mmCIF file with all atom_site columns, all heavy atoms in Angstrom:
data_model
loop_
_atom_site.group_PDB
_atom_site.id
_atom_site.type_symbol
_atom_site.label_atom_id
_atom_site.label_alt_id
_atom_site.label_comp_id
_atom_site.label_asym_id
_atom_site.label_entity_id
_atom_site.label_seq_id
_atom_site.pdbx_PDB_ins_code
_atom_site.Cartn_x
_atom_site.Cartn_y
_atom_site.Cartn_z
_atom_site.occupancy
_atom_site.B_iso_or_equiv
_atom_site.pdbx_formal_charge
_atom_site.auth_seq_id
_atom_site.auth_comp_id
_atom_site.auth_asym_id
_atom_site.auth_atom_id
_atom_site.pdbx_PDB_model_num
ATOM 1   N N   . ILE A 1 313 ? 21.539 3.818   3.993  1.00 94.00 ? 313 ILE A N   1
ATOM 2   C CA  . ILE A 1 313 ? 20.744 2.782   4.638  1.00 94.00 ? 313 ILE A CA  1
ATOM 3   C C   . ILE A 1 313 ? 20.854 3.022   6.140  1.00 94.00 ? 313 ILE A C   1
ATOM 4   O O   . ILE A 1 313 ? 21.959 3.221   6.661  1.00 94.00 ? 313 ILE A O   1
ATOM 5   C CB  . ILE A 1 313 ? 21.260 1.380   4.282  1.00 94.00 ? 313 ILE A CB  1
ATOM 6   C CG1 . ILE A 1 313 ? 21.231 1.165   2.765  1.00 94.00 ? 313 ILE A CG1 1
ATOM 7   C CG2 . ILE A 1 313 ? 20.429 0.313   4.978  1.00 94.00 ? 313 ILE A CG2 1
ATOM 8   C CD1 . ILE A 1 313 ? 21.887 -0.120  2.309  1.00 94.00 ? 313 ILE A CD1 1
ATOM 9   N N   . ILE A 1 314 ? 19.720 3.063   6.816  1.00 95.00 ? 314 ILE A N   1
ATOM 10  C CA  . ILE A 1 314 ? 19.731 3.277   8.265  1.00 95.00 ? 314 ILE A CA  1
ATOM 11  C C   . ILE A 1 314 ? 20.722 2.299   8.890  1.00 95.00 ? 314 ILE A C   1
ATOM 12  O O   . ILE A 1 314 ? 20.650 1.090   8.641  1.00 95.00 ? 314 ILE A O   1
ATOM 13  C CB  . ILE A 1 314 ? 18.317 3.074   8.847  1.00 95.00 ? 314 ILE A CB  1
ATOM 14  C CG1 . ILE A 1 314 ? 17.368 4.170   8.339  1.00 95.00 ? 314 ILE A CG1 1
ATOM 15  C CG2 . ILE A 1 314 ? 18.353 3.054   10.365 1.00 95.00 ? 314 ILE A CG2 1
ATOM 16  C CD1 . ILE A 1 314 ? 17.707 5.573   8.791  1.00 95.00 ? 314 ILE A CD1 1
ATOM 17  N N   . PRO A 1 315 ? 21.649 2.779   9.715  1.00 91.00 ? 315 PRO A N   1
ATOM 18  C CA  . PRO A 1 315 ? 22.733 1.921   10.204 1.00 91.00 ? 315 PRO A CA  1
ATOM 19  C C   . PRO A 1 315 ? 22.328 0.952   11.312 1.00 91.00 ? 315 PRO A C   1
ATOM 20  O O   . PRO A 1 315 ? 23.129 0.103   11.694 1.00 91.00 ? 315 PRO A O   1
ATOM 21  C CB  . PRO A 1 315 ? 23.761 2.928   10.715 1.00 91.00 ? 315 PRO A CB  1
ATOM 22  C CG  . PRO A 1 315 ? 22.961 4.130   11.112 1.00 91.00 ? 315 PRO A CG  1
ATOM 23  C CD  . PRO A 1 315 ? 21.832 4.194   10.115 1.00 91.00 ? 315 PRO A CD  1
ATOM 24  N N   . HIS A 1 316 ? 21.103 1.059   11.817 1.00 92.00 ? 316 HIS A N   1
ATOM 25  C CA  . HIS A 1 316 ? 20.680 0.202   12.924 1.00 92.00 ? 316 HIS A CA  1
ATOM 26  C C   . HIS A 1 316 ? 19.944 -1.020  12.377 1.00 92.00 ? 316 HIS A C   1
ATOM 27  O O   . HIS A 1 316 ? 18.948 -0.885  11.659 1.00 92.00 ? 316 HIS A O   1
ATOM 28  C CB  . HIS A 1 316 ? 19.782 0.980   13.879 1.00 92.00 ? 316 HIS A CB  1
ATOM 29  C CG  . HIS A 1 316 ? 20.429 2.236   14.374 1.00 92.00 ? 316 HIS A CG  1
ATOM 30  N ND1 . HIS A 1 316 ? 21.400 2.232   15.359 1.00 92.00 ? 316 HIS A ND1 1
ATOM 31  C CD2 . HIS A 1 316 ? 20.276 3.533   13.982 1.00 92.00 ? 316 HIS A CD2 1
ATOM 32  C CE1 . HIS A 1 316 ? 21.804 3.474   15.558 1.00 92.00 ? 316 HIS A CE1 1
ATOM 33  N NE2 . HIS A 1 316 ? 21.150 4.278   14.746 1.00 92.00 ? 316 HIS A NE2 1
ATOM 34  N N   . PRO A 1 317 ? 20.403 -2.220  12.689 1.00 89.00 ? 317 PRO A N   1
ATOM 35  C CA  . PRO A 1 317 ? 19.789 -3.437  12.145 1.00 89.00 ? 317 PRO A CA  1
ATOM 36  C C   . PRO A 1 317 ? 18.313 -3.554  12.503 1.00 89.00 ? 317 PRO A C   1
ATOM 37  O O   . PRO A 1 317 ? 17.877 -3.118  13.561 1.00 89.00 ? 317 PRO A O   1
ATOM 38  C CB  . PRO A 1 317 ? 20.597 -4.568  12.802 1.00 89.00 ? 317 PRO A CB  1
ATOM 39  C CG  . PRO A 1 317 ? 21.878 -3.933  13.219 1.00 89.00 ? 317 PRO A CG  1
ATOM 40  C CD  . PRO A 1 317 ? 21.549 -2.519  13.566 1.00 89.00 ? 317 PRO A CD  1
ATOM 41  N N   . VAL A 1 318 ? 17.552 -4.140  11.590 1.00 90.00 ? 318 VAL A N   1
ATOM 42  C CA  . VAL A 1 318 ? 16.144 -4.395  11.851 1.00 90.00 ? 318 VAL A CA  1
ATOM 43  C C   . VAL A 1 318 ? 16.028 -5.369  13.020 1.00 90.00 ? 318 VAL A C   1
ATOM 44  O O   . VAL A 1 318 ? 16.785 -6.340  13.119 1.00 90.00 ? 318 VAL A O   1
ATOM 45  C CB  . VAL A 1 318 ? 15.443 -4.938  10.596 1.00 90.00 ? 318 VAL A CB  1
ATOM 46  C CG1 . VAL A 1 318 ? 16.136 -6.174  10.060 1.00 90.00 ? 318 VAL A CG1 1
ATOM 47  C CG2 . VAL A 1 318 ? 13.977 -5.234  10.869 1.00 90.00 ? 318 VAL A CG2 1
ATOM 48  N N   . ALA A 1 319 ? 15.096 -5.094  13.922 1.00 91.00 ? 319 ALA A N   1
ATOM 49  C CA  . ALA A 1 319 ? 14.829 -5.987  15.043 1.00 91.00 ? 319 ALA A CA  1
ATOM 50  C C   . ALA A 1 319 ? 13.595 -6.823  14.739 1.00 91.00 ? 319 ALA A C   1
ATOM 51  O O   . ALA A 1 319 ? 12.860 -6.559  13.782 1.00 91.00 ? 319 ALA A O   1
ATOM 52  C CB  . ALA A 1 319 ? 14.628 -5.187  16.330 1.00 91.00 ? 319 ALA A CB  1
ATOM 53  N N   . SER A 1 320 ? 13.352 -7.832  15.572 1.00 91.00 ? 320 SER A N   1
ATOM 54  C CA  . SER A 1 320 ? 12.209 -8.717  15.379 1.00 91.00 ? 320 SER A CA  1
ATOM 55  C C   . SER A 1 320 ? 11.387 -8.774  16.653 1.00 91.00 ? 320 SER A C   1
ATOM 56  O O   . SER A 1 320 ? 11.934 -8.958  17.737 1.00 91.00 ? 320 SER A O   1
ATOM 57  C CB  . SER A 1 320 ? 12.679 -10.128 15.001 1.00 91.00 ? 320 SER A CB  1
ATOM 58  O OG  . SER A 1 320 ? 11.578 -10.987 14.844 1.00 91.00 ? 320 SER A OG  1
ATOM 59  N N   . ALA A 1 321 ? 10.068 -8.591  16.508 1.00 93.00 ? 321 ALA A N   1
ATOM 60  C CA  . ALA A 1 321 ? 9.169  -8.675  17.656 1.00 93.00 ? 321 ALA A CA  1
ATOM 61  C C   . ALA A 1 321 ? 8.295  -9.914  17.512 1.00 93.00 ? 321 ALA A C   1
ATOM 62  O O   . ALA A 1 321 ? 7.844  -10.251 16.413 1.00 93.00 ? 321 ALA A O   1
ATOM 63  C CB  . ALA A 1 321 ? 8.298  -7.430  17.755 1.00 93.00 ? 321 ALA A CB  1
ATOM 64  N N   . GLY A 1 322 ? 8.066  -10.609 18.635 1.00 89.00 ? 322 GLY A N   1
ATOM 65  C CA  . GLY A 1 322 ? 7.246  -11.811 18.571 1.00 89.00 ? 322 GLY A CA  1
ATOM 66  C C   . GLY A 1 322 ? 7.031  -12.404 19.947 1.00 89.00 ? 322 GLY A C   1
ATOM 67  O O   . GLY A 1 322 ? 7.220  -11.744 20.967 1.00 89.00 ? 322 GLY A O   1
ATOM 68  N N   . LYS A 1 323 ? 6.653  -13.674 19.941 1.00 87.00 ? 323 LYS A N   1
ATOM 69  C CA  . LYS A 1 323 ? 6.388  -14.398 21.178 1.00 87.00 ? 323 LYS A CA  1
ATOM 70  C C   . LYS A 1 323 ? 7.497  -15.403 21.440 1.00 87.00 ? 323 LYS A C   1
ATOM 71  O O   . LYS A 1 323 ? 8.163  -15.869 20.524 1.00 87.00 ? 323 LYS A O   1
ATOM 72  C CB  . LYS A 1 323 ? 5.055  -15.144 21.084 1.00 87.00 ? 323 LYS A CB  1
ATOM 73  C CG  . LYS A 1 323 ? 3.819  -14.269 21.110 1.00 87.00 ? 323 LYS A CG  1
ATOM 74  C CD  . LYS A 1 323 ? 2.569  -15.140 21.070 1.00 87.00 ? 323 LYS A CD  1
ATOM 75  C CE  . LYS A 1 323 ? 1.296  -14.317 21.137 1.00 87.00 ? 323 LYS A CE  1
ATOM 76  N NZ  . LYS A 1 323 ? 0.090  -15.175 21.117 1.00 87.00 ? 323 LYS A NZ  1
ATOM 77  N N   . LEU A 1 324 ? 7.634  -15.734 22.697 1.00 84.00 ? 324 LEU A N   1
ATOM 78  C CA  . LEU A 1 324 ? 8.590  -16.768 23.098 1.00 84.00 ? 324 LEU A CA  1
ATOM 79  C C   . LEU A 1 324 ? 7.803  -17.960 23.629 1.00 84.00 ? 324 LEU A C   1
ATOM 80  O O   . LEU A 1 324 ? 7.030  -17.840 24.568 1.00 84.00 ? 324 LEU A O   1
ATOM 81  C CB  . LEU A 1 324 ? 9.528  -16.234 24.183 1.00 84.00 ? 324 LEU A CB  1
ATOM 82  C CG  . LEU A 1 324 ? 10.653 -17.162 24.624 1.00 84.00 ? 324 LEU A CG  1
ATOM 83  C CD1 . LEU A 1 324 ? 11.604 -17.449 23.465 1.00 84.00 ? 324 LEU A CD1 1
ATOM 84  C CD2 . LEU A 1 324 ? 11.421 -16.551 25.797 1.00 84.00 ? 324 LEU A CD2 1
ATOM 85  N N   . PHE A 1 325 ? 7.994  -19.103 22.979 1.00 79.00 ? 325 PHE A N   1
ATOM 86  C CA  . PHE A 1 325 ? 7.310  -20.328 23.403 1.00 79.00 ? 325 PHE A CA  1
ATOM 87  C C   . PHE A 1 325 ? 8.316  -21.241 24.084 1.00 79.00 ? 325 PHE A C   1
ATOM 88  O O   . PHE A 1 325 ? 9.407  -21.470 23.558 1.00 79.00 ? 325 PHE A O   1
ATOM 89  C CB  . PHE A 1 325 ? 6.697  -21.045 22.202 1.00 79.00 ? 325 PHE A CB  1
ATOM 90  C CG  . PHE A 1 325 ? 5.540  -20.305 21.582 1.00 79.00 ? 325 PHE A CG  1
ATOM 91  C CD1 . PHE A 1 325 ? 5.746  -19.427 20.527 1.00 79.00 ? 325 PHE A CD1 1
ATOM 92  C CD2 . PHE A 1 325 ? 4.256  -20.484 22.055 1.00 79.00 ? 325 PHE A CD2 1
ATOM 93  C CE1 . PHE A 1 325 ? 4.693  -18.741 19.961 1.00 79.00 ? 325 PHE A CE1 1
ATOM 94  C CE2 . PHE A 1 325 ? 3.189  -19.808 21.491 1.00 79.00 ? 325 PHE A CE2 1
ATOM 95  C CZ  . PHE A 1 325 ? 3.404  -18.930 20.439 1.00 79.00 ? 325 PHE A CZ  1
ATOM 96  N N   . PRO A 1 326 ? 7.956  -21.776 25.253 1.00 75.00 ? 326 PRO A N   1
ATOM 97  C CA  . PRO A 1 326 ? 8.866  -22.682 25.957 1.00 75.00 ? 326 PRO A CA  1
ATOM 98  C C   . PRO A 1 326 ? 9.203  -23.896 25.091 1.00 75.00 ? 326 PRO A C   1
ATOM 99  O O   . PRO A 1 326 ? 8.366  -24.360 24.327 1.00 75.00 ? 326 PRO A O   1
ATOM 100 C CB  . PRO A 1 326 ? 8.075  -23.091 27.206 1.00 75.00 ? 326 PRO A CB  1
ATOM 101 C CG  . PRO A 1 326 ? 7.037  -22.019 27.358 1.00 75.00 ? 326 PRO A CG  1
ATOM 102 C CD  . PRO A 1 326 ? 6.702  -21.565 25.977 1.00 75.00 ? 326 PRO A CD  1
ATOM 103 N N   . PRO A 1 327 ? 10.410 -24.416 25.179 1.00 69.00 ? 327 PRO A N   1
ATOM 104 C CA  . PRO A 1 327 ? 11.453 -23.905 26.078 1.00 69.00 ? 327 PRO A CA  1
ATOM 105 C C   . PRO A 1 327 ? 12.256 -22.755 25.479 1.00 69.00 ? 327 PRO A C   1
ATOM 106 O O   . PRO A 1 327 ? 12.790 -21.931 26.200 1.00 69.00 ? 327 PRO A O   1
ATOM 107 C CB  . PRO A 1 327 ? 12.334 -25.131 26.288 1.00 69.00 ? 327 PRO A CB  1
ATOM 108 C CG  . PRO A 1 327 ? 12.207 -25.885 25.002 1.00 69.00 ? 327 PRO A CG  1
ATOM 109 C CD  . PRO A 1 327 ? 10.804 -25.690 24.548 1.00 69.00 ? 327 PRO A CD  1
ATOM 110 N N   . SER A 1 328 ? 12.342 -22.683 24.113 1.00 67.00 ? 328 SER A N   1
ATOM 111 C CA  . SER A 1 328 ? 13.212 -21.637 23.568 1.00 67.00 ? 328 SER A CA  1
ATOM 112 C C   . SER A 1 328 ? 12.822 -21.198 22.163 1.00 67.00 ? 328 SER A C   1
ATOM 113 O O   . SER A 1 328 ? 13.646 -20.662 21.441 1.00 67.00 ? 328 SER A O   1
ATOM 114 C CB  . SER A 1 328 ? 14.662 -22.140 23.548 1.00 67.00 ? 328 SER A CB  1
ATOM 115 O OG  . SER A 1 328 ? 14.778 -23.300 22.729 1.00 67.00 ? 328 SER A OG  1
ATOM 116 N N   . SER A 1 329 ? 11.572 -21.402 21.749 1.00 76.00 ? 329 SER A N   1
ATOM 117 C CA  . SER A 1 329 ? 11.157 -21.035 20.391 1.00 76.00 ? 329 SER A CA  1
ATOM 118 C C   . SER A 1 329 ? 10.723 -19.579 20.352 1.00 76.00 ? 329 SER A C   1
ATOM 119 O O   . SER A 1 329 ? 9.681  -19.212 20.919 1.00 76.00 ? 329 SER A O   1
ATOM 120 C CB  . SER A 1 329 ? 10.001 -21.936 19.929 1.00 76.00 ? 329 SER A CB  1
ATOM 121 O OG  . SER A 1 329 ? 10.432 -23.260 19.764 1.00 76.00 ? 329 SER A OG  1
ATOM 122 N N   . PHE A 1 330 ? 11.516 -18.740 19.698 1.00 82.00 ? 330 PHE A N   1
ATOM 123 C CA  . PHE A 1 330 ? 11.142 -17.340 19.496 1.00 82.00 ? 330 PHE A CA  1
ATOM 124 C C   . PHE A 1 330 ? 10.513 -17.220 18.114 1.00 82.00 ? 330 PHE A C   1
ATOM 125 O O   . PHE A 1 330 ? 11.145 -17.523 17.108 1.00 82.00 ? 330 PHE A O   1
ATOM 126 C CB  . PHE A 1 330 ? 12.357 -16.423 19.608 1.00 82.00 ? 330 PHE A CB  1
ATOM 127 C CG  . PHE A 1 330 ? 12.016 -14.978 19.341 1.00 82.00 ? 330 PHE A CG  1
ATOM 128 C CD1 . PHE A 1 330 ? 11.327 -14.236 20.288 1.00 82.00 ? 330 PHE A CD1 1
ATOM 129 C CD2 . PHE A 1 330 ? 12.378 -14.368 18.155 1.00 82.00 ? 330 PHE A CD2 1
ATOM 130 C CE1 . PHE A 1 330 ? 10.997 -12.905 20.052 1.00 82.00 ? 330 PHE A CE1 1
ATOM 131 C CE2 . PHE A 1 330 ? 12.063 -13.037 17.911 1.00 82.00 ? 330 PHE A CE2 1
ATOM 132 C CZ  . PHE A 1 330 ? 11.370 -12.308 18.870 1.00 82.00 ? 330 PHE A CZ  1
ATOM 133 N N   . CYS A 1 331 ? 9.260  -16.807 18.072 1.00 82.00 ? 331 CYS A N   1
ATOM 134 C CA  . CYS A 1 331 ? 8.528  -16.701 16.807 1.00 82.00 ? 331 CYS A CA  1
ATOM 135 C C   . CYS A 1 331 ? 8.379  -15.228 16.443 1.00 82.00 ? 331 CYS A C   1
ATOM 136 O O   . CYS A 1 331 ? 7.410  -14.575 16.831 1.00 82.00 ? 331 CYS A O   1
ATOM 137 C CB  . CYS A 1 331 ? 7.168  -17.363 16.925 1.00 82.00 ? 331 CYS A CB  1
ATOM 138 S SG  . CYS A 1 331 ? 7.289  -19.119 17.322 1.00 82.00 ? 331 CYS A SG  1
ATOM 139 N N   . GLY A 1 332 ? 9.343  -14.725 15.711 1.00 84.00 ? 332 GLY A N   1
ATOM 140 C CA  . GLY A 1 332 ? 9.320  -13.321 15.325 1.00 84.00 ? 332 GLY A CA  1
ATOM 141 C C   . GLY A 1 332 ? 8.649  -13.148 13.981 1.00 84.00 ? 332 GLY A C   1
ATOM 142 O O   . GLY A 1 332 ? 9.121  -13.655 12.975 1.00 84.00 ? 332 GLY A O   1
ATOM 143 N N   . LYS A 1 333 ? 7.535  -12.408 13.962 1.00 83.00 ? 333 LYS A N   1
ATOM 144 C CA  . LYS A 1 333 ? 6.799  -12.201 12.721 1.00 83.00 ? 333 LYS A CA  1
ATOM 145 C C   . LYS A 1 333 ? 6.572  -10.727 12.406 1.00 83.00 ? 333 LYS A C   1
ATOM 146 O O   . LYS A 1 333 ? 5.831  -10.401 11.488 1.00 83.00 ? 333 LYS A O   1
ATOM 147 C CB  . LYS A 1 333 ? 5.460  -12.930 12.785 1.00 83.00 ? 333 LYS A CB  1
ATOM 148 C CG  . LYS A 1 333 ? 5.615  -14.433 12.930 1.00 83.00 ? 333 LYS A CG  1
ATOM 149 C CD  . LYS A 1 333 ? 4.288  -15.124 12.817 1.00 83.00 ? 333 LYS A CD  1
ATOM 150 C CE  . LYS A 1 333 ? 4.476  -16.626 12.903 1.00 83.00 ? 333 LYS A CE  1
ATOM 151 N NZ  . LYS A 1 333 ? 3.215  -17.362 12.725 1.00 83.00 ? 333 LYS A NZ  1
ATOM 152 N N   . THR A 1 334 ? 7.183  -9.845  13.159 1.00 92.00 ? 334 THR A N   1
ATOM 153 C CA  . THR A 1 334 ? 7.005  -8.408  12.975 1.00 92.00 ? 334 THR A CA  1
ATOM 154 C C   . THR A 1 334 ? 8.370  -7.737  12.919 1.00 92.00 ? 334 THR A C   1
ATOM 155 O O   . THR A 1 334 ? 9.208  -7.951  13.803 1.00 92.00 ? 334 THR A O   1
ATOM 156 C CB  . THR A 1 334 ? 6.174  -7.810  14.124 1.00 92.00 ? 334 THR A CB  1
ATOM 157 O OG1 . THR A 1 334 ? 4.881  -8.436  14.138 1.00 92.00 ? 334 THR A OG1 1
ATOM 158 C CG2 . THR A 1 334 ? 6.006  -6.303  13.968 1.00 92.00 ? 334 THR A CG2 1
ATOM 159 N N   . MET A 1 335 ? 8.585  -6.917  11.885 1.00 93.00 ? 335 MET A N   1
ATOM 160 C CA  . MET A 1 335 ? 9.851  -6.198  11.749 1.00 93.00 ? 335 MET A CA  1
ATOM 161 C C   . MET A 1 335 ? 9.775  -4.881  12.523 1.00 93.00 ? 335 MET A C   1
ATOM 162 O O   . MET A 1 335 ? 8.752  -4.185  12.494 1.00 93.00 ? 335 MET A O   1
ATOM 163 C CB  . MET A 1 335 ? 10.151 -5.917  10.276 1.00 93.00 ? 335 MET A CB  1
ATOM 164 C CG  . MET A 1 335 ? 10.134 -7.158  9.404  1.00 93.00 ? 335 MET A CG  1
ATOM 165 S SD  . MET A 1 335 ? 10.405 -6.800  7.658  1.00 93.00 ? 335 MET A SD  1
ATOM 166 C CE  . MET A 1 335 ? 12.197 -6.726  7.620  1.00 93.00 ? 335 MET A CE  1
#
Side-chain angles (χ1 to χ4, degrees):
I313 302 173
I314 293 295
H316 305 283
V318 55
S320 179
K323 289 182 178 181
L324 185 63
F325 291 93
S328 60
S329 293
F330 177 74
C331 300
K333 298 187 178 183
T334 300
M335 306 177 83

